Amino acid sequence: MRYLPLTQKQEDRILKLCQVESFDQLVQSIPESIRVDGLLRLPEALSEMELCQHFDNYANMNSDAKSYLGQGAYDHTWPAVLDYLISRGEFLTAYTPYQAELSQGTLQSIFEFQSMIAEMTGMEISNASLYDGSTAALEAILMAARLQRKEQGTIIVSEGVYEDTLSLLKTYLDPLNIKIEIWKSDATGQAQASSAPKVADAFGVLLQSPNKWGVVEDWAQLQSAAASLNVKSIAHVPEMHSLTEFSAPGDFGVDIVSGEGQGYGLPLGYGGPYLGLLCCKKQDVRQIPGRLVGQTEDATGQRAFCVTLSTREQHIRREKATSNICSNQNLMALRAAIYLSLMGPKGLETVSKMNRSRLFTLQSLLSDTLKTDAVTISTAPCFNELSLHFKSEKTCESLLRNLESKNILAGHINKAPVESGFQSSLTIAVTEKSCPNSLKVLADAICGELK
Amino acid sequence: MSEIRENLRYTTDHEWAEKLSQPKKVKVGITDFAQNSLGDVTFVELPEAGKSVKKGEVIGSVESVKAVSDIFAPLTGKILSVNEALNDDPSPLNTAPFEGGWLIEMEIENEEEWNQLLSAQAYEQHAQ
């Protein structure tokens, strides 16, 4: 099969247009030393059957270990019909609507998505989605800087922000000369307004909840910290299901909400695709990056949907756009919208209640049998994730390794809250899919190791 | 036909500047020609009062249903105040570009720059 069909005639025409004699002459600016001599060193071609076997072999290398890893990626269940709906050709093959108004159905689905996300976060405006949770946190910070008319300055970030999110923030903010100042948590892993750093050139403060230890934060502390510094407040929600059980940041008057929508029916995957969420107040809508879909009326007075306020976007505003990474992930947003409408308020409540009760099951299993001074079980309010704080980093790491050899990925190791006096935290993710039996196996294994 | 006022100076970017009674104090806006070509203005992004600006620097933008256009500082100096009323209702930019639609007041640094601005006649030629 010819993958790059190019006849001699076509090649001659191209060379003539480029005013060169030969292909070699065309690429003469590329140094000889880095040009490939001869053919690429590729393995022999495989037949269709061999190719399938080749990839099956890779697939078989996947571990079937029981995983309690979380940190922004949670193994939730979803109604089976979701997979059938989302794989319909009209949805699966449709991309970001560049001829937006031609695809009213796509626009309506985005509009519904925005409405549902705004309702869950308690905010007035939601955009049509962003790349993922961590880039949404970044966009929230850049938006806060624009709102405060700061080109440089400091963003205050809670100690409980995921390590990978923090590293992404550093990658983007360092070259912009925006500094990051950490807002230390108390010994239980919660941020208190009184300990927010007083930085003169701060323009915003970001609080993540649930945080990297699984601890649910108090949005009132965020608001009070932001108010005392006279800066914008950003609530970062990496697990949207937590908002069913705990208060929505919008109810506290938070300025910007960023989040990760993976929990809303998106499968786990290395590198995604996940779903970034970004919400703001109506007064700040011109500084929100990304697509926004609005509802209007067409010439005949019928309801219609349109891309709105697109003068903020890069195809109109070029280098002055509110963002140049405002790729919205329609399919993922649609998936979340279908998930939310299938679940409804009652379904969401059931899921989050199950999540919490499974976490309590693990918590009580552990506290019943774990009798050692080296480890403390977090008692702070938590959602989806529970942390065990270790006096010694080594104990924590060897526990994780030993359980791994028993085919259990027991969780993620974080630095313990600085104020707690502990060194490391093993953060264990539990969802409605973690059955009580396997939680018992996990608890027994942990207690067995730490005896 | 767009209105051009005799008592004002102009830039090639279709902005006007008016000398106020206090020395070095200048009021700035966009011309009738500019608002005509922009169409209905939906939003104005204004600079912060107190900011020092250089002639030609982008200090804000005017957004219409058709496009977004930059506002340039016509002169070097310090921004004294901005027309906050436009934040809530930018319509004076269309209805009264020389009056209620003014954008900023500034204190200018040098007279020479003022003298380099276009006269009403020169601007009329430019805007044709």
Side-chain angles (χ1 to χ4, degrees):
Chain A
M1 193 186 286
R2 297 180 62 126
Y3 286 104
L4 296 166
L6 186 66
T7 63
Q8 191 58 46
K9 214 172 148 188
Q10 289 171 311
E11 188 175 321
D12 289 345
R13 190 164 159 256
I14 293 168
L15 292 173
K16 201 178 159 195
L17 272 169
C18 298
Q19 297 180 342
V20 289
E21 300 281 318
S22 64
F23 179 76
D24 284 335
Q25 200 188 338
L26 183 69
V27 296
Q28 65 180 350
S29 57
I30 300 170
E32 203 80 49
S33 60
I34 62 164
R35 282 194 228 171
V36 177
D37 191 20
L39 293 170
L40 289 172
R41 271 167 305 183
L42 292 173
E44 286 289 304
L46 298 178
S47 70
E48 190 176 300
M49 182 189 73
E50 287 167 328
L51 193 65
C52 289
Q53 284 167 346
H54 181 77
F55 282 105
D56 280 345
N57 288 340
Y58 280 132
N60 290 335
M61 288 163 78
N62 282 327
S63 152
D64 62 349
K66 191 82 196 145
S67 168
Y68 296 95
L69 293 166
Q71 304 289 295
Y74 302 100
D75 192 15
H76 288 296
T77 184
W78 57 78
V81 67
L82 174 56
D83 290 322
Y84 291 94
L85 286 174
I86 204 72
S87 57
R88 287 184 64 100
E90 306 93 305
F91 296 148
L92 196 59
T93 57
Y95 188 54
T96 294
Y98 282 115
Q99 291 173 291
E101 280 72 24
L102 281 178
S103 22
Q104 283 292 311
T106 303
L107 288 190
Q108 179 169 3
S109 77
I110 299 176
F111 184 80
E112 305 290 359
F113 165 82
Q114 291 174 174
S115 307
M116 288 190 264
I117 298 301
E119 190 179 334
M120 294 306 298
T121 53
M123 299 297 283
E124 289 172 304
I125 305 281
S126 160
N127 79 359
S129 81
L130 290 169
Y131 191 60
D132 65 8
S134 50
T135 53
L138 169 80
E139 290 294 348
I141 291 171
L142 296 178
M143 183 179 169
R146 287 193 297 273
L147 288 170
Q148 295 291 92
R149 293 172 180 265
K150 286 274 179 75
E151 271 166 27
Q152 290 165 9
T154 299
I155 177 74
I156 294 162
V157 170
S158 62
E159 189 188 343
V161 163
Y162 294 144
E163 282 158 20
D164 61 350
T165 304
L166 189 62
S167 110
L168 176 135
L169 295 182
K170 282 180 180 156
T171 305
Y172 277 92
L173 297 177
D174 276 357
L176 296 173
N177 288 321
I178 291 176
K179 294 183 290 291
I180 298 171
E181 186 81 25
I182 300 296
W183 175 10
K184 268 198 208 153
S185 305
D186 64 13
T188 70
Q190 274 185 317
Q192 304 297 339
S194 52
S195 53
K198 309 273 176 284
V199 186
D201 68 346
F203 59 80
V205 52
L206 179 146
L207 179 64
Q208 175 184 319
S209 176
N211 64 26
K212 66 178 175 186
W213 304 292
V215 174
V216 176
E217 302 270 10
D218 178 4
W219 301 125
Q221 299 296 327
L222 169 66
Q223 282 312 89
S224 139
S228 69
L229 290 160
N230 196 19
V231 299
K232 293 286 167 192
S233 56
I234 303 169
H236 184 57
V237 185
E239 164 58 311
M240 288 293 285
H241 281 290
S242 65
L243 298 184
T244 312
E245 199 79 354
F246 295 93
S247 317
D251 298 345
F252 289 77
V254 164
D255 292 304
I256 304 169
V257 177
S258 57
E260 170 59 61
Q262 180 268 330
Y264 285 163
L266 270 60
L268 293 170
Y270 267 128
Y274 281 3
L275 176 64
L277 310 172
L278 195 62
C279 302
C280 70
K281 292 178 175 172
K282 197 172 178 189
Q283 65 186 48
D284 298 331
V285 67
R286 282 178 189 272
Q287 292 301 338
I288 198 172
R291 200 133 298 179
L292 285 175
V293 171
Q295 181 182 298
T296 181
E297 278 178 6
D298 69 8
T300 61
Q302 286 185 309
R303 182 171 80 154
F305 297 93
C306 62
V307 172
T308 188
L309 294 173
S310 56
T311 41
R312 300 162 299 115
E313 293 187 63
Q314 53 194 332
H315 61 284
I316 293 185
R317 218 173 230 209
R318 306 280 163 175
E319 82 280 7
K320 290 193 193 70
T322 46
S323 165
N324 288 299
I325 44 166
C326 61
S327 149
N328 94 52
Q329 295 187 292
N330 256 356
L331 190 65
M332 297 304 112
L334 177 63
R335 203 179 157 106
I338 297 176
Y339 172 84
L340 285 170
S341 49
L342 286 170
M343 298 297 283
K346 276 203 179 134
L348 288 177
E349 211 171 291
T350 309
V351 165
S352 70
K353 283 217 170 9
M354 266 178 89
N355 268 276
R356 285 203 90 198
S357 84
R358 293 286 149 90
L359 201 65
F360 289 143
T361 304
L362 178 67
Q363 199 168 23
S364 62
L365 282 170
L366 287 170
S367 52
D368 285 350
T369 36
L370 201 60
K371 304 281 180 239
T372 161
D373 292 340
V375 184
T376 283
I377 305 163
S378 168
T379 51
C382 54
F383 190 83
N384 260 19
E385 278 174 289
L386 177 70
S387 282
L388 304 183
H389 302 311
F390 288 73
K391 287 218 168 110
S392 139
E393 193 180 342
K394 270 195 183 151
T395 317
C396 185
E397 276 168 3
S398 72
L399 169 71
L400 197 70
R401 261 199 314 275
N402 292 343
L403 290 182
E404 205 177 313
S405 68
K406 291 180 177 164
N407 232 13
I408 300 174
L409 304 175
H412 178 83
I413 299 183
N414 277 308
K415 280 203 166 61
V418 173
E419 290 293 317
S420 70
F422 289 92
Q423 257 190 343
S424 298
S425 304
L426 177 65
T427 308
I428 308 167
V430 171
T431 69
E432 72 276 9
K433 284 177 81 176
S434 324
C435 64
N437 284 343
S438 31
L439 290 177
K440 179 88 173 58
V441 172
L442 174 68
D444 288 347
I446 292 176
C447 296
E449 287 295 329
L450 293 175
K451 228 189 297 194
Chain B
M1 181 65 203
S2 301
E3 183 187 352
I4 295 174
R5 295 199 173 176
E6 280 299 323
N7 60 328
L8 304 178
R9 293 292 182 98
Y10 298 87
T11 71
T12 50
D13 298 313
H14 306 282
E15 283 157 13
W16 54 260
E18 177 186 13
K19 270 218 167 157
L20 301 174
S21 49
Q22 302 94 321
K24 294 187 174 176
K25 225 178 149 183
V26 168
K27 199 182 232 185
V28 175
I30 64 167
T31 64
D32 193 33
F33 178 87
Q35 71 80 17
N36 256 329
S37 358
L38 281 170
D40 286 345
V41 173
T42 53
F43 185 69
V44 191
E45 193 191 343
L46 295 166
E48 259 182 315
K51 197 181 171 192
S52 293
V53 294
K54 284 211 164 66
K55 179 183 168 179
E57 189 183 323
V58 176
I59 54 170
S61 63
V62 178
E63 187 179 321
S64 70
V65 285
K66 293 183 202 162
V68 183
S69 310
D70 287 329
I71 306 168
F72 301 94
L75 300 154
T76 303
K78 192 173 157 188
I79 294 168
L80 299 173
S81 61
V82 302
N83 189 355
E84 302 280 356
L86 297 178
N87 287 330
D88 297 327
D89 176 22
S91 66
L93 268 171
N94 290 114
T95 54
F98 296 111
E99 308 286 342
W102 67 276
L103 297 173
I104 58 163
E105 280 185 0
M106 60 186 296
E107 187 177 84
I108 64 167
E109 257 175 34
N110 72 65
E111 279 301 308
E112 226 160 89
E113 277 183 5
W114 172 263
N115 293 330
Q116 284 163 9
L117 292 176
L118 303 178
S119 66
Q121 288 80 2
Y123 179 67
E124 193 174 352
Q125 293 233 315
H126 174 74
Q128 260 168 13

